[in-house]
Amino acid sequence: MRRILNRRVVVTGTGMVTPLGTGVERNWEALMAGRSGIGRIERFDVSDFPSQIAGEIRDFNPEDWIDRKEIRRMDLFIQYAMASAEQAMRESELKFEPEEAEMIGVIVGVGIGGLLTIEEYHKHFLVTRLKKVTPFFIPKLISNLAPGNIAIRYGAKGINLTTTSACASASHAIGEAFRMIQQGYLNAAITGGTEAALTPLGLGGFAVMRALSTRNDEPQRASRPFDRERDGFVMSDGAAILILEERERALARGATILAEIVGYATNGDAYHITSPSPNGEGAARCMQLCLRDFDLDPNEVDYINAHGTSTPQGDLAETQAIKQIFGEHAAQIAVSSTKSMTGHLLGAAGAVESVYTVLAIGRGMVPPTINQEYPDPECDLDYVPNRARPAKIRLALNNSFGFGGTNTTLAFAPHIEN
């Protein structure tokens, strides 16, 4: 098959499940109100954990989205992905004939996978060996069953894969879907990320790394990116899915176009397994690659949805990277971390934040970074403190960085018919 280079790629649907609620509108309402989704963990006993707070999903009913007999075959991370995909497909109204099925792909990022299932069945195994291990054990937990189940539901027979790159997993999925549509390997993609690693072992693993906030007495104030008093990230679950389409196909079927993806870059720090490279060098190169390779004007960037996890090192490195790339213009860019409200959804974070970026462009409002109380003299950009604000966005970036030094930058813009 001949591949067509540089086809335009648009977003025609979105769906999500986050600590702010199930559904895009619930999320947007919470963002505009500056409302936190963080609370004390109720799912399991955390009395002996140094960090006892998280972004749990409290309004999700799988039976609203999945057939009851299928639910028991799916770990929570798959359930969240299925619900988000259904929302996105409904909004997009994406339909395709059987003969086009091989050009419809599903690419979903997953950072950790079915940790809940592993912990549950390990307990059974220790007591009864194989007697209580379900035949669905492996299909419930492996990461690629998120896109696998989505593809089965909708009959999408194109490229089907999972990207696993820690906290950049979802952004890599979206970026690779963009690239495959742009280059003619797909006509449309169901893409994004999902995660449900909020388990005793998952939380405990990050806690013993001293990566998590221990502001247990003030959960809603715990995630405070770029604030001087930040002390670590807050772990969360959730998912988000976007429908990407080749622009001419979307226009031909009369789809509502929410935004256009206009750039994507990925690289690595080659520095440390958990820490960012000094002065944000890797993140800076990633943003520069995105702008350069897609001929984007840095002076048109009006908004950056930052990775902004609320860790001392990470937030400083990202601030330094933005200043390196944008120079004097950096002070004019609205830089917000929506993790201040959602917490950190790990492998799903980039998808959630991509949806928020698309909404910010379409609705002309920039989400705030809440809990901005104590200015950090080293983090001195415009972080949209505490309140959402109106803004006309010409070009927006979404940054995602992960353990192992993996970096991604996605660029979104309003759709212009020319």
Side-chain angles (χ1 to χ4, degrees), residues 224-232 310-312 315-316 376 379:
R224 45 199 315 114
F226 307 109
D227 186 83
R228 189 185 69 212
E229 300 298 315
R230 64 191 185 276
D231 70 330
S310 190
T311 60
D315 292 359
L316 175 58
D376 183 339
C379 294

Side-chain angles (χ1 to χ4, degrees), residues 93-141:
E93 299 182 330
L94 176 67
K95 294 179 175 62
F96 50 91
E97 298 300 324
E99 56 267 25
E100 195 193 4
E102 292 186 12
M103 294 298 288
I104 310 299
V106 187
I107 305 174
V108 178
V110 182
I112 294 177
L115 194 55
L116 183 66
T117 295
I118 293 171
E119 291 186 34
E120 176 187 355
Y121 283 97
H122 183 246
K123 291 176 185 176
H124 293 325
F125 181 79
L126 290 177
V127 176
T128 68
R129 303 291 285 177
L130 293 177
K131 289 182 181 178
K132 289 191 177 181
V133 177
T134 173
F136 298 110
F137 173 60
I138 298 299
K140 281 183 72 171
L141 71 90

Side-chain angles (χ1 to χ4, degrees), residues 234-357:
V234 177
M235 192 172 171
S236 298
D237 279 353
I241 294 291
L242 299 87
I243 306 301
L244 305 188
E245 288 187 70
E246 189 272 321
R247 176 181 178 265
E248 297 307 316
R249 183 191 190 281
L251 289 173
R253 71 178 186 86
T256 298
I257 295 176
L258 306 177
E260 183 169 354
I261 300 189
V262 294
Y264 162 60
T266 179
N267 70 351
D269 289 356
Y271 173 70
H272 190 270
I273 59 171
T274 58
S275 298
S277 54
N279 304 313
E281 179 272 337
R285 280 191 295 108
C286 193
M287 286 185 281
Q288 186 176 51
L289 284 169
C290 184
L291 295 166
R292 186 196 69 194
D293 289 357
F294 291 88
D295 197 25
L296 304 175
D297 184 351
N299 292 315
E300 289 190 355
V301 175
D302 296 311
Y303 175 53
I304 297 175
N305 189 303
H307 186 58
T309 59
S310 190
T311 60
Q313 281 184 299
D315 292 359
L316 175 58
E318 188 169 10
T319 297
Q320 292 171 328
I322 292 169
K323 291 163 82 170
Q324 285 178 51
I325 295 305
F326 294 98
E328 292 184 1
H329 181 61
Q332 308 303 315
I333 301 172
V335 179
S336 67
S337 173
T338 46
K339 288 185 181 74
S340 60
M341 293 169 277
T342 65
H344 191 355
L345 282 81
L346 307 178
V352 169
E353 289 148 21
S354 288
V355 172
Y356 291 161
T357 302

